[in-house]
């Protein structure tokens, strides 16, 4: 190996692993924000003392947790993100071992089990079960690929889109072309959809 080869290998290694680190941080922040939204929605729906906090819940929560980047506005965005992408629960339930630390994993997995009731239904035939399993796995793969490809900022923009078909179009656009956030915003604002 000559000196130029060494330089190229070091630069290439640095670039690729740095990109992987950035991607890993983004995935974990996205999961964090989704889980925060999940916890907020669960509290709002099932919390014994939710009436005590009422409409000031997010304001009081932001003041109490004192976490930079989790203002009242950001907590609202986390809640919206969870509501739009609630199906990530299936992804996190399946891939939770690699994404979330053990102490959080145990409680979240227990909470997600209540969502798996539809998977426990009895099928007519083995082929029905195979079709459902294949469809379910494709759904998990799709959401994992989306989680790996889109930044949380992309998800914020996608969460603003009320039309599921339109949102799915932009999800596929992200998977195929990986646009920057500004490019995605520009496309969302300029494209029109007719059914």
């Amino acid at each position: 190996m000559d000196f130029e080869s060494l330089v190229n290998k070091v630069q290439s290694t640095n670039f690729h692993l740095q990109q992987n680190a950035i991607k890993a941080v983004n995935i974990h922040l996205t999961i964090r924000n989704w889980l925060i939204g999940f916890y907020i929605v669960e509290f709002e729906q099932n919390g014994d003392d939710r009436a005590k906090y009422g409409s000031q819940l997010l304001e009081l929560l932001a003041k109490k947790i004192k976490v930079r980047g989790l203002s009242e506005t950001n907590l609202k965005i986390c809640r919206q993100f969870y509501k739009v992408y609630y199906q990530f629960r299936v992804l996190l339930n399946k891939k939770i071992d690699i994404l979330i630390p053990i102490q959080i994993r145990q409680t979240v997995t227990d909470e997600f089990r209540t969502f798996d009731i539809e998977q426990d239904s009895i099928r007519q035939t083995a082929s029905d079960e195979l079709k459902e399993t294949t469809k379910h796995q494709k759904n998990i793969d799709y959401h994992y690929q989306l989680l790996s490809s889109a930044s949380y900022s992309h998800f914020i923009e996608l969460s603003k889109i009320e039309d599921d078909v339109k949102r799915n179009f932009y999800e596929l656009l992200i998977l195929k072309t990986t646009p920057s956030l500004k490019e995605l915003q520009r496309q969302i604002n300029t494209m029109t959809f007719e059914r």
Side-chain angles (χ1 to χ4, degrees):
M1 178 185 324
D2 62 8
F3 182 74
E4 283 304 312
S5 295
L6 175 62
V7 169
N8 290 335
K9 287 191 182 295
V10 169
Q11 288 176 331
S12 176
T13 300
N14 176 64
F15 175 78
H16 290 293
L17 293 178
Q18 193 171 36
Q19 292 303 308
N20 287 346
I22 291 168
K23 184 183 265 190
V25 168
N26 183 64
I27 289 171
H28 284 84
L29 286 175
T30 302
I31 291 168
R32 176 202 72 170
N33 294 335
W34 187 90
L35 283 170
I36 288 169
F38 167 76
Y39 293 138
I40 291 168
V41 169
E42 285 297 300
F43 179 84
E44 289 173 333
Q45 292 177 350
N46 302 316
D48 294 335
D49 58 351
R50 67 185 180 274
K52 182 169 120 180
Y53 298 100
S55 63
Q56 298 176 338
L57 172 66
L58 299 181
E59 178 185 351
L60 294 171
L61 181 60
K63 286 179 182 175
K64 185 73 173 178
I65 61 175
K66 299 175 187 162
V67 174
R68 198 177 125 221
L70 289 178
S71 65
E72 178 183 358
T73 301
N74 288 340
L75 292 173
K76 286 178 186 176
I77 292 169
C78 290
R79 180 176 58 191
Q80 176 66 17
F81 175 47
Y82 167 75
K83 286 180 176 181
V84 172
Y85 285 96
Y86 64 89
Q87 63 271 47
F88 276 7
R89 67 177 155 62
V90 176
L91 171 69
L92 293 178
N93 203 13
K94 297 295 182 193
K95 298 197 181 275
I96 209 161
D97 291 340
I98 59 171
L99 298 174
I100 301 175
I102 291 172
Q103 64 270 25
I104 298 172
R105 186 183 322 154
Q106 292 170 339
T107 59
V108 172
T109 304
D110 291 342
E111 291 173 30
F112 286 163
R113 282 200 183 109
T114 61
F115 292 120
D116 289 337
I117 294 169
E118 70 268 6
Q119 292 179 0
D120 295 335
S121 61
I122 299 173
R123 309 274 191 268
Q124 291 288 329
T125 64
S127 62
D128 289 340
E129 179 115 4
L130 183 59
K131 286 177 192 173
E132 283 298 313
T133 302
T134 304
K135 181 180 171 186
H136 184 70
Q137 186 59 47
K138 285 181 181 178
N139 192 21
I140 290 171
D141 293 344
Y142 172 80
H143 286 101
Y144 187 73
Q145 187 178 7
L146 186 60
L147 181 65
S148 299
S149 300
S151 70
Y152 181 62
S153 298
H154 284 92
F155 281 115
I156 291 171
E157 291 302 313
L158 291 169
S159 295
K160 294 175 186 176
I161 302 171
E162 293 180 18
D163 184 341
D164 292 342
V165 174
K166 187 176 178 181
R167 186 179 329 104
N168 189 253
F169 170 82
Y170 289 110
E171 290 171 356
L172 293 171
L173 181 73
I174 288 169
L175 291 175
K176 298 292 183 191
T177 65
T178 58
S180 69
L181 178 61
K182 286 184 180 185
E183 179 62 22
L184 178 65
Q185 290 169 328
R186 187 189 66 71
Q187 289 186 10
I188 289 172
N189 292 327
T190 58
M191 292 182 90
T192 58
F193 283 82
E194 293 183 24
R195 287 191 191 199

